[in-house]
Amino acid sequence: PSDVAAMGCTDSTLDLDKEGRALLAQLHLDASIHGEGKSHMLDPLWRHPDTGAVFWVGSERAARNLDVLRKHKIQRIVNCTADMPNFHEATDQASGSIKYLRFDVASHWCKVKTPGAAEAFVEPLLAFVVESLAQGHSVMAHCLAGAHRAGATGVICLMHLAHFDSAEALAAAQRCRPIIRMIGRFPALLRHLDVAWSARRQGEMAQKANLRTTERVRRAVATSGGA
């Protein structure tokens, strides 16, 4: 188990592996038939407009399958679980072709109590994803089913990459990957991010408005002085 799990930083009211298996069963799927019906092994959520690198959300089966990762040119993986192995970390360590970030998104419940804490919690995730995509490396976030933990991670990334609020990001993510569901305390994390990023956007807009006003005043003064 991870250090976080050992310290009890997990939501004891929710077994996310169990929820993932239950959802797959509800959709008449299991690990051996991922990719049929409503749930694929992995689905794209966003493409970088300059590099063409793609952000994917997928399942454990996709994360295990090196051929699938290579087919979709996925060189960066976000492991959204506390204890699932980084399956190809040792295999590709020498070549460095696959790099991992472990982002135990479910641990947010004991770490995030405020919008500011939510922003700090997701900062390592966003730094990894943004830098990877900008460098032309496609990224996949995964958990067991690619529905809850990876789904929440995908929504967070869409909020940042596409400048969506949480409702817009969730709707877009579910259009791309219908199996995505927000359960447990994930909606609370998204609400905190809505508040944090809305305040930041408003501040940036106010700053831009002030700069435009200052520039108009400068030009008016310059014109008046020239006359």
Side-chain angles (χ1 to χ4, degrees), residues 132-189:
S132 297
L133 294 172
Q135 292 176 346
H137 303 301
S138 290
V139 181
M140 184 182 71
H142 82 88
C143 55
L144 188 140
H148 304 128
R149 287 164 290 187
T153 301
V155 170
I156 291 166
C157 289
L158 272 185
M159 290 173 70
H160 181 80
L161 295 169
H163 307 290
F164 286 157
D165 63 27
S166 62
E168 293 169 329
L170 177 58
Q174 289 177 328
R175 284 196 297 271
C176 296
R177 186 171 176 80
I179 196 174
I180 287 176
R181 299 284 189 278
M182 293 302 96
I183 61 174
R185 306 188 191 193
F186 290 135
L189 174 61

Side-chain angles (χ1 to χ4, degrees), residues 66-86:
L66 191 56
D67 289 337
V68 166
L69 299 177
R70 287 174 173 165
K71 174 184 176 182
H72 296 292
K73 300 179 181 179
I74 294 168
Q75 297 174 304
R76 303 289 184 268
I77 295 180
V78 179
N79 183 339
C80 304
T81 76
D83 50 13
M84 192 177 292
N86 294 331

Side-chain angles (χ1 to χ4, degrees), residues 4-174:
V4 168
M7 291 188 296
C9 192
T10 56
D11 186 348
S12 59
T13 66
L14 201 60
D15 183 334
L16 289 162
D17 284 343
K18 181 180 178 181
E19 293 293 333
R21 286 188 289 268
L23 181 56
L24 292 175
Q26 183 181 352
L27 297 177
H28 310 292
L29 300 170
D30 59 40
S32 65
I33 58 173
H34 247 318
E36 301 178 17
K38 290 185 178 180
S39 173
H40 303 122
M41 238 194 289
L42 70 169
D43 291 289
L45 264 60
W46 191 81
R47 183 188 298 272
H48 195 285
D50 298 322
T51 67
V54 177
F55 178 79
W56 301 79
V57 169
S59 66
E60 177 189 13
R61 186 166 177 246
R64 285 180 177 274
N65 193 322
L66 191 56
D67 289 337
V68 166
L69 299 177
R70 287 174 173 165
K71 174 184 176 182
H72 296 292
K73 300 179 181 179
I74 294 168
Q75 297 174 304
R76 303 289 184 268
I77 295 180
V78 179
N79 183 339
C80 304
T81 76
D83 50 13
M84 192 177 292
N86 294 331
F87 296 109
H88 306 292
E89 195 166 42
T91 304
D92 277 25
Q93 191 171 20
S95 65
S97 61
I98 296 182
K99 293 183 180 178
Y100 286 84
L101 172 74
R102 185 176 295 279
F103 177 63
D104 179 14
V105 63
S107 70
H108 77 90
W109 82 273
C110 68
K111 299 178 180 178
V112 173
K113 306 299 181 185
T114 66
E119 201 170 16
F121 179 72
V122 302
E123 184 178 354
L125 163 71
L126 297 177
F128 181 82
V129 170
V130 169
E131 180 180 9
S132 297
L133 294 172
Q135 292 176 346
H137 303 301
S138 290
V139 181
M140 184 182 71
H142 82 88
C143 55
L144 188 140
H148 304 128
R149 287 164 290 187
T153 301
V155 170
I156 291 166
C157 289
L158 272 185
M159 290 173 70
H160 181 80
L161 295 169
H163 307 290
F164 286 157
D165 63 27
S166 62
E168 293 169 329
L170 177 58
Q174 289 177 328

